[in-house]
Amino acid sequence: MSVVSKILRAGEGKKVRRLAELVPLVNELEPAMEALSDEQLKAKTVEFRARLAEGESLDDLLIEAFAVVREAAWRVLGQRHFDVQIMGGMALHFGWIAEMKTGEGKTLVSTLPVYLNALAGEGVHVVTVNDYLATRDSEWMGRLHAWLGIKVGRVGPDITDFLEKKAAYDADVTYGTNTEFGFDYLRDNMGANRDQMVQRGHHFAIIDEVDSILIDEARTPLIISGPAEQAARLYYQFAGIARSLRRDSDYEVDEEKKLVYPTEAGIAKVEQALGVENLYDAVSVGYVQQLTQALRAKELYRRDKDYLIADGEVKIVDEFTGRTLDGRRWSEGLHQAVEAKERVRIQDENHTWATVTLQNYFRLYEKLGGMTGTAETEAGEFASTYNLTVVPIPTNRDALRMDQADLVFKTEAAKFNATVDDIAERHEKGQPVLVGTASVEKSEELSRLLAKRGITHEVLNAKQHFREAEIVSQAGRLGAVTVATNMAGRGVDILLGGNPAGLAIRELRARGMDPSTEEGAAELAKLEAHFAKECSEQGEKVKELGGLYVLGSERHESRRIDNQLRGRSGRQGEPGESRFFLSLEDDLMRLFASGAMSWVMDRALPEEEAIEAKMVTKAIERAQNTVEGRNAEVRKDVLKYDEVLNEQRKIIYKRRLQVIDGDDLHDYTVELLEVAMNTVVTTACPSDYPEEWDLSLLIAEVTQYYPTKFSVEDLAQAGDRDQLIESLVNEALNFYEQRPESFPGGGVQAREIEREVMLQVIDQRWRDHLAEMDYLREGINLRAVAQQDPLVAWQREGYSMFGQLMEHIDEDYLRYILHVDAVAEQPQEPDLNQAVYVAAEDPVATVASAPLAGSMDQSSIDPPAPADFVPVVKADHQKVGRNDPCWCGSAKKFKQCHGAV
Ligand code: ADP
Ligand code: MG
């Protein structure tokens, strides 16, 4: 049994020990690796690839490949993977979550499994929480990979060129944020052919800060949506056209079945009104459905009987009780058509074009690995939702940080006073302080208090990842006070004494010098040398003062986030200290620890003094447990609800790909035609008795598919329904088979057109379906009132709506395919330039896209001219300048250090 298969069988508790047993195997190879020349070491990549091609597995290569990367990292980056880092790398390769504390060097750890898995040539995705980290890691670790002959790419909002992005995905390893990967996936599944797709599959992803991505952000799905204005305009236009059409000559109505049938004359009028040649050519715009719904709204839905107008809204009247059904809407555009007919505002939000939850996006990967400092508290959820095992990796050196007990105050004011006192005291000594807050508001409040005391400080709100990364990197300077929300400066290393390169460039700029000039560069080099020395001296002093002091101004709902904050201090065995300040007025306490509160209230305790009672600490822990549990439930719920949509999405996306990849639809079309003729005959002719046949209805229905030559008299000759069906099927098939003759490209072009039509019908109907599922989801909780389990109702109704969707797709397709002339000059829908992207990036980013939220709030469109739609542009992506200090703390310019080419 190979060493590797042994480890895979190891039980939960044994995994770490088994990993540790493999490390010596890597270490044994070290002398041999050291002896290799650069060229020989690089050649290992070629050798490994050849051995893979000959049938060896990645697991077979694991030990050697890790030894190669370790040696290469030493030569290229000047860093040699510690033994625990080797263990972490293996955990990632095996598809586990490596829990490694902050500062343990997870960025470097990832290079091991990235290299190994990249050898397979199927693409490895490295997922980060923000673009700053994606840029940093792709360039920093990219040097190592490139040296070893592994191609590195990065995707991000600044990479807008299609080919550039495609190249990034074609690389052996691709760096990017979770949202970028997710949105690319959605966009890929909106394209009309393979050439428009950037991703080439989902083989292996390594997620950095995996708890942030898979737990914290998992409650909000990624959504691409488009403006509804265009659609609204079209509804009004069709309502006007419907008004001008005449019953019986332009269309026929079957009141009983609630159906309308436009005649050829009617269609011609509509085409003229719209100025189009063939109504059926514009598949993706859906003129035909619009017309049908406008006519149904006109003829079949009566005001004050079927619906009321109240508060400018169309409300459905329940036909049995006569009461209005609040929150319900007719589907498939009928409701909007009625609104247009009544000239009220069309209640139509941004149209969802595509959506996926992060959970379901990441479940697409064949293998998933994750790393973070804080995973254990959520191990259960990782296991159940993602099938990911958490493996805690020991630290490289013993942790020295002192985590002090919480201080609890009666009032928030007293807490803040004590907080500021503590900060002032430490600041006076020169100890650097990092203050964590739970919200931007609290940050600002604290900032005001600090300013009053004359304490210089920085405030970070996770608004600008690049700028804030620079500031956080200096949070370990003597006397530095940095106030930051949880998200701010994530993933940035805080060196005690400061980051010399950053200080040097700052100083140079302050002197008004340009680092790109010869003079500036020379000066910068001097400054860097100066600061390197200065920072290391400062670092020693900071250590004597106890290292970085982390002060939490409030407990977060989740212990994990608190641990993240604590973890900013005491990296790599350095000294450090942390403490949380709480008050009974904190949200967490008020809402979830009322028992403890009344206990305190019953005792006449002084305001200013901290309460040190086990009872309170216990209560906080319980409160956190409660909230964590509740949030986990919410996420599970989101997942259960999304399950329905996810299954549907998978089916639709698969179908699209079949069509895109050249599925021949000829035989399928024949089948559909046969079924359709069967259906129309059985609807119009309920039995074999000719007296019960409604032949003019039958002809009206058949005409919706193709222009039949049969008259009522012809059809009356038939002896039974089977004969009717047979004649119609024959005629229809003949019509279908002869159509290619009218195309210049004949049968080949006919097949091509069929595929294009099918794809557009799928997309159009799928988008409508998503909108309807949205409505259903919004209203589903009202079902609880009607004694229904909302989830069950959602599953049942969602299922049935999907069934209808599939039927409608086939039906639409069939109609179009027998009418369409050519699909060449289609208005391309949807126009992605108008798309709005929504994700739960972080709280502040959500605020940053306020114009979007605004346009969604105004969720209705006024009858005449809708306001211009302003697309939301993502915040400009800042890049690390070539002359800026390198993030690694080397005291060199980026271009001379990790940015060197
Ligand atoms: P984490 O993501 O685990 O918090 P980082 O990847 O940001 O940690 O690394 C923290 C710091 O440790 C970085 O400055 C990095 O260069 C340094 N580092 C990581 N591994 C090593 C190593 N093997 N030898 C020397 N320095 C290392
Ligand atoms: Mg990190």
Side-chain angles (χ1 to χ4, degrees):
M1 185 162 70
S2 81
V3 274
V4 170
S5 57
K6 213 163 107 190
I7 193 164
L8 291 175
R9 293 210 201 127
E12 287 293 286
K14 290 221 181 99
K15 287 205 157 71
V16 182
R17 222 176 328 136
R18 291 272 187 249
L19 287 177
E21 282 167 17
L22 291 182
V23 175
L25 302 179
V26 180
N27 291 348
E28 275 165 26
L29 294 179
E30 203 160 5
M33 293 297 156
E34 279 169 353
L36 296 178
S37 71
D38 281 2
E39 292 322 307
Q40 286 169 322
L41 192 59
K42 289 179 187 184
K44 283 286 177 186
T45 303
V46 184
E47 179 201 316
F48 290 148
R49 284 193 163 136
R51 282 166 57 187
L52 277 178
E54 277 159 24
E56 283 190 53
S57 71
L58 290 180
D59 288 348
D60 295 336
L61 298 177
L62 177 108
I63 304 290
E64 288 169 75
F66 277 31
V68 165
V69 178
R70 180 190 249 177
E71 179 61 25
W74 174 242
R75 293 188 196 181
V76 180
L77 304 175
Q79 297 184 345
R80 173 186 172 275
H81 292 79
F82 306 128
D83 287 0
V84 289
Q85 289 180 314
I86 299 278
M87 290 168 65
M90 290 176 181
L92 291 173
H93 168 71
F94 294 133
W96 301 333
I97 289 178
E99 190 189 61
M100 301 180 73
K101 301 271 172 271
T102 309
E104 286 294 304
K106 291 186 282 292
T107 325
L108 189 65
V109 168
S110 71
T111 55
L112 300 161
V114 163
Y115 174 76
L116 176 59
N117 287 269
L119 292 170
E122 294 178 308
V124 176
H125 295 173
V126 183
V127 187
T128 61
V129 288
N130 63 45
D131 289 309
Y132 166 78
L133 294 171
T135 310
R136 182 193 75 174
D137 296 353
S138 67
E139 295 179 4
W140 183 11
M141 296 300 127
R143 283 179 60 224
L144 169 59
H145 290 308
W147 194 86
L148 281 169
I150 298 290
K151 282 201 203 72
V152 178
R154 178 180 66 84
V155 291
D158 57 322
I159 306 213
T160 47
D161 180 62
F162 176 80
L163 290 176
E164 205 182 327
K165 181 165 240 177
K166 177 112 183 80
Y169 277 112
D170 286 342
D172 298 309
V173 43
T174 312
Y175 286 81
T177 62
N178 52 337
T179 44
E180 196 68 27
F181 283 117
F183 281 132
D184 281 338
Y185 166 69
L186 291 177
R187 275 187 295 251
D188 271 1
N189 282 290
M190 293 167 82
N193 54 54
R194 287 259 181 199
D195 300 344
Q196 294 175 10
M197 301 185 171
V198 288
Q199 295 188 343
R200 52 186 176 123
H202 301 92
H203 297 286
F204 179 38
I206 294 179
I207 308 181
D208 192 11
E209 312 272 1
V210 64
D211 53 332
S212 292
I213 292 177
L214 294 188
I215 306 271
D216 298 331
E217 296 192 7
R219 267 185 291 177
T220 321
L222 303 178
I223 299 171
I224 301 184
S225 60
E229 278 83 352
Q230 268 161 312
R233 224 170 279 149
L234 214 54
Y235 283 117
Y236 291 119
Q237 197 177 1
F238 269 94
I241 292 174
R243 239 170 260 137
S244 72
L245 295 182
R246 282 212 215 98
R247 187 166 173 158
D248 296 333
S249 62
D250 295 331
Y251 57 91
E252 288 172 34
V253 182
D254 182 339
E255 303 243 0
E256 206 178 312
K257 295 206 182 70
K258 292 223 164 213
L259 292 172
V260 291
Y261 304 104
T263 62
E264 271 180 55
I267 299 240
K269 278 193 193 166
V270 180
E271 284 166 352
Q272 207 187 1
L274 291 171
V276 300
E277 288 245 327
N278 181 349
L279 206 57
Y280 289 89
D281 279 356
V283 182
S284 59
V285 187
Y287 286 148
V288 181
Q289 289 93 303
Q290 286 268 356
L291 175 63
T292 313
Q293 297 300 28
L295 289 173
R296 290 179 72 207
K298 176 184 176 189
E299 293 291 342
L300 302 167
Y301 292 81
R302 302 260 164 271
R303 182 164 173 173
D304 297 330
K305 177 177 157 285
D306 300 302
Y307 62 91
L308 302 175
I309 306 280
D311 311 324
E313 284 177 34
V314 171
K315 299 201 165 159
I316 304 180
V317 174
D318 185 86
E319 58 176 314
F320 301 110
T321 64
R323 277 193 299 223
T324 56
L325 295 169
D326 285 334
R328 298 277 187 105
R329 292 173 60 83
W330 286 302
S331 59
E332 290 160 37
L334 176 62
H335 210 93
Q336 292 92 321
V338 173
E339 286 166 335
K341 162 188 150 189
E342 293 291 348
R343 294 192 173 92
V344 297
R345 284 154 72 101
I346 291 185
Q347 308 284 324
D348 210 354
E349 295 181 7
N350 266 15
H351 284 186
T352 299
W353 283 344
T355 171
V356 67
T357 55
L358 287 175
Q359 285 116 321
N360 281 318
Y361 173 70
F362 283 109
R363 284 165 158 199
L364 291 172
Y365 285 86
E366 283 161 32
K367 186 165 80 174
L368 207 56
M371 45 192 195
T372 173
T374 46
E376 276 234 272
T377 48
E378 250 71 34
E381 187 165 338
F382 281 126
S384 62
T385 304
Y386 300 99
N387 200 15
L388 283 170
T389 312
V390 175
V391 181
I393 308 288
T395 53
N396 185 41
R397 299 202 192 170
D398 290 340
L400 291 183
R401 191 186 62 230
M402 294 184 292
D403 293 329
Q404 310 290 7
D406 297 351
L407 291 181
V408 186
F409 296 83
K410 246 184 166 174
T411 64
E412 190 172 51
K415 173 182 85 173
F416 276 136
N417 275 335
T419 304
V420 176
D421 284 346
D422 191 15
I423 296 172
E425 200 177 298
R426 302 200 180 241
H427 178 65
E428 223 155 88
K429 285 192 299 179
Q431 185 176 21
V433 184
L434 176 68
V435 187
T437 68
S439 69
V440 175
E441 275 169 24
K442 299 283 176 219
S443 285
E444 282 164 3
E445 200 171 333
L446 258 174
S447 170
R448 267 194 303 276
L449 291 172
L450 289 171
K452 254 202 212 154
R453 294 275 194 101
I455 299 173
T456 321
H457 61 278
E458 295 272 6
V459 185
L460 312 180
N461 295 331
K463 276 183 190 143
Q464 302 155 293
H465 299 305
F466 283 79
R467 194 186 74 87
E468 299 190 353
E470 260 174 50
I471 294 175
V472 158
S473 71
Q474 307 297 355
R477 292 282 285 170
L478 267 179
V481 176
T482 314
V483 180
T485 56
N486 290 312
M487 307 277 180
R490 274 191 294 189
V492 179
D493 201 21
I494 302 180
L495 297 171
L496 298 186
N499 182 315
L503 294 168
I505 189 88
R506 206 190 280 174
E507 176 63 25
L508 190 79
R509 294 234 162 92
R511 293 186 194 171
M513 293 176 75
D514 179 359
S516 62
T517 62
E518 212 172 289
E519 199 196 359
E523 190 59 28
L524 186 63
K526 268 193 234 157
L527 284 169
E528 281 166 352
H530 161 75
F531 279 114
K533 190 158 165 282
E534 196 248 17
C535 285
S536 104
E537 283 164 13
Q538 269 211 16
E540 289 310 312
K541 276 191 207 140
V542 171
K543 277 184 202 162
E544 280 163 30
L545 291 168
L548 179 68
Y549 179 54
V550 165
L551 190 156
S553 68
E554 191 173 335
R555 280 244 186 208
H556 193 271
E557 287 176 356
S558 150
R559 280 168 298 170
R560 187 168 41 81
I561 308 282
D562 291 341
N563 292 340
Q564 278 175 10
L565 179 63
R566 283 203 157 115
R568 295 282 186 97
S569 158
R571 51 180 285 286
Q572 292 281 345
E574 286 170 349
E577 188 178 347
S578 75
R579 190 193 283 281
F580 280 84
F581 282 63
L582 320 179
S583 91
L584 297 181
E585 291 176 345
D586 294 354
D587 286 346
L588 187 71
M589 302 288 285
R590 276 194 305 113
L591 300 176
F592 301 101
S594 46
M597 280 193 49
S598 52
W599 180 86
V600 174
M601 292 308 174
D602 287 348
R603 282 156 187 77
L605 296 169
E607 286 267 294
E608 332 64 67
E609 244 163 68
I611 308 155
E612 290 203 38
K614 278 234 169 67
M615 160 108 199
V616 178
T617 330
K618 279 261 157 60
I620 296 162
E621 230 167 77
R622 263 200 310 275
Q624 284 183 316
N625 256 322
T626 311
V627 185
E628 279 165 20
R630 204 190 49 178
N631 286 340
E633 279 307 310
V634 172
R635 288 189 296 269
K636 225 190 277 171
D637 232 38
V638 169
L639 201 61
K640 271 192 232 150
Y641 276 93
D642 191 54
E643 206 63 49
V644 174
L645 212 51
N646 195 44
E647 287 310 308
Q648 302 179 350
R649 180 175 38 241
K650 278 203 229 156
I651 294 171
I652 292 289
Y653 284 3
K654 189 165 155 216
R655 183 80 183 114
R656 286 186 96 254
L657 275 184
Q658 283 171 349
V659 176
I660 284 175
D661 288 343
D663 204 7
D664 186 330
L665 293 171
H666 173 272
D667 295 354
Y668 186 67
T669 313
V670 168
E671 252 172 64
L672 285 181
L673 257 180
E674 287 169 352
V675 173
M677 290 308 113
N678 253 293
T679 312
V680 287
V681 169
T682 30
T683 336
C685 314
S687 75
D688 271 332
Y689 301 112
E691 330 47 291
E692 289 184 13
W693 294 0
D694 185 343
L695 292 178
S696 62
L697 173 72
L698 179 58
I699 287 178
E701 288 205 27
V702 171
T703 313
Q704 301 307 305
Y705 291 100
Y706 71 94
T708 176
K709 299 227 160 50
F710 287 123
S711 62
V712 170
E713 293 70 38
D714 296 338
L715 292 178
Q717 310 286 315
D720 56 20
R721 293 196 298 179
D722 283 348
Q723 277 184 16
L724 275 180
I725 293 170
E726 203 188 320
S727 331
L728 287 171
V729 166
N730 279 339
E731 192 191 31
L733 288 183
N734 259 332
F735 181 81
Y736 171 59
E737 301 291 8
Q738 270 163 23
R739 278 180 51 78
E741 289 167 19
S742 66
F743 299 128
V748 176
Q749 193 189 359
R751 299 292 89 80
E752 190 75 17
I753 290 177
E754 281 167 8
R755 283 205 306 271
E756 283 173 35
V757 167
M758 183 55 112
L759 201 59
Q760 296 192 23
V761 167
I762 291 175
D763 287 349
Q764 205 241 334
R765 282 288 184 178
W766 173 243
R767 286 197 304 274
D768 288 352
H769 177 75
L770 286 177
E772 272 156 37
M773 292 293 278
D774 271 355
Y775 289 130
L776 180 65
R777 182 79 177 80
E778 273 165 32
I780 205 76
N781 286 326
L782 295 174
R783 306 299 164 86
V785 183
Q787 313 289 318
Q788 288 179 0
D789 177 348
L791 180 62
V792 174
W794 160 258
Q795 284 165 335
R796 196 188 48 235
E797 286 175 45
Y799 181 79
S800 107
M801 277 165 64
F802 188 68
Q804 283 169 19
L805 167 72
M806 297 311 268
E807 273 176 32
H808 284 144
I809 287 176
D810 285 344
E811 215 169 276
D812 278 5
Y813 162 77
L814 200 54
R815 273 177 209 191
Y816 279 115
I817 208 59
L818 297 176
H819 283 99
V820 80
D821 292 330
V823 206
E825 283 161 54
Q826 290 275 326
Q828 198 50 54
E829 284 263 323
D831 177 5
L832 273 175
N833 292 324
Q834 299 222 35
V836 178
Y837 297 85
V838 187
E841 274 192 82
D842 53 43
V844 188
T846 324
V847 176
S849 49
L852 158 70
S855 75
M856 298 233 288
D857 279 348
Q858 189 215 340
S859 61
S860 52
I861 289 105
D862 281 321
D868 279 347
F869 176 74
V870 188
V872 175
V873 184
K874 278 204 164 189
D876 265 354
H877 182 79
Q878 289 168 276
K879 264 195 79 114
V880 180
R882 307 266 314 136
N883 286 307
D884 288 345
C886 195
W887 49 63
C888 67
S890 64
K892 282 192 206 136
K893 273 185 219 156
F894 172 62
K895 66 175 180 197
Q896 287 157 349
C897 187
H898 292 132
V901 263

